[in-house]
Amino acid sequence: MRIGIVLGSVREGRAGEPVANWVLERARTHGGADVEFIDVKSFGLPVFDGAYLPAMADKKYDDPAVQAWSDAVDACDAFVIVTPEYNHSVPGGLKNAVDHLGGEWLGKPVAFVGYGADGAVRAVEHWRQIFGNFDAKAIRAQLSINIFAEMTENGFVPNERRAGELDALLDSLIAAVG
Ligand SMILES: Cc1cc2nc3c(=O)[nH]c(=O)nc-3n(C[C@H](O)[C@H](O)[C@H](O)COP(=O)(O)O)c2cc1C
């Protein structure tokens, strides 16, 4: 079983990087699945403007960047999406990346680690709707990281209860893959 940890911010100087690295390390020591780091920014995806429907593309794309992204997602059985909240919703760069694909997401469990002023709870609720289109099982457990309390001058310092929350999230995610 392979879990993809998806770093969703593509912004210069993104706060999401230390959050995703913490999730990655903890997921690796948690055990029960292989863990893959998937940095959306590293693929350099264009804005989706295809004349085709990704759901009908059979996971084959002319653009090598999109094909690499497709292969990375397709190789995973489940995902932890590390997401900020932009304007009370999902970040556009990650939504664009998700829109590029179809069958690669289909039916795979997905869990969310949100970070923001209010823990990105609105973004995560929107992601739950979006991934519903892929028949994905969205895991109830989520992390709602408060950037004011947990992003300090010393970097990302997770609240003491986050490790237990993440372990519970990973247990549910792994169980959902079956
Ligand atoms: C375009 C934009 C919109 C934002 N909107 C929200 C918001 O609605 N709610 C929130 O809690 N934070 C919001 N923020 C602040 C982000 O939580 C903060 O900048 C965070 O560092 C973003 O994650 P990133 O640095 O990994 O991209 C916004 C930031 C940007 C750049």
Side-chain angles (χ1 to χ4, degrees):
M1 182 192 309
R2 183 178 294 181
I3 294 176
I5 309 296
V6 179
L7 168 51
S9 174
V10 299
R11 208 168 65 81
E12 287 298 320
R14 55 204 172 162
E17 198 158 338
V19 177
N21 285 334
W22 173 77
V23 172
L24 182 69
E25 267 181 43
R26 184 115 199 138
R28 287 201 167 129
T29 54
H30 179 274
D34 293 333
V35 179
E36 203 67 46
F37 185 53
I38 303 178
D39 181 357
V40 171
K41 184 179 176 67
S42 72
F43 295 91
L45 295 167
V47 171
F48 177 74
D49 65 355
Y52 57 92
L53 298 179
M56 309 294 277
D58 202 21
K59 305 177 188 175
K60 293 184 179 62
Y61 306 92
D62 291 337
D63 185 332
V66 180
Q67 190 63 57
W69 165 239
S70 164
D71 293 345
V73 171
D74 201 41
C76 294
D77 303 299
F79 304 93
V80 178
I81 308 287
V82 180
T83 181
E85 175 175 291
Y86 288 173
N87 295 316
H88 290 191
S89 187
V90 301
L94 179 54
K95 176 61 161 59
N96 177 62
V98 168
D99 289 347
H100 267 289
L101 308 182
E104 298 87 339
W105 300 113
L106 207 62
K108 295 179 181 176
V110 60
F112 303 96
V113 172
Y115 56 94
D118 297 304
V121 290
R122 292 163 290 229
V124 170
E125 284 305 305
H126 293 176
W127 280 126
R128 291 180 184 282
Q129 288 190 338
I130 291 162
F131 276 93
N133 190 46
F134 301 115
D135 255 343
K137 176 172 171 50
I139 300 301
R140 181 178 185 276
Q142 68 186 62
L143 269 65
S144 306
I145 292 166
N146 184 301
I147 49 172
F148 296 125
E150 295 169 79
M151 308 272 183
T152 73
E153 65 265 21
N154 299 319
F156 174 51
V157 181
N159 182 295
E160 61 185 16
R161 65 174 193 275
R162 297 296 177 218
E165 289 177 349
L166 183 58
D167 287 343
L169 177 153
L170 291 166
D171 285 342
S172 296
L173 189 65
I174 290 166
V177 176

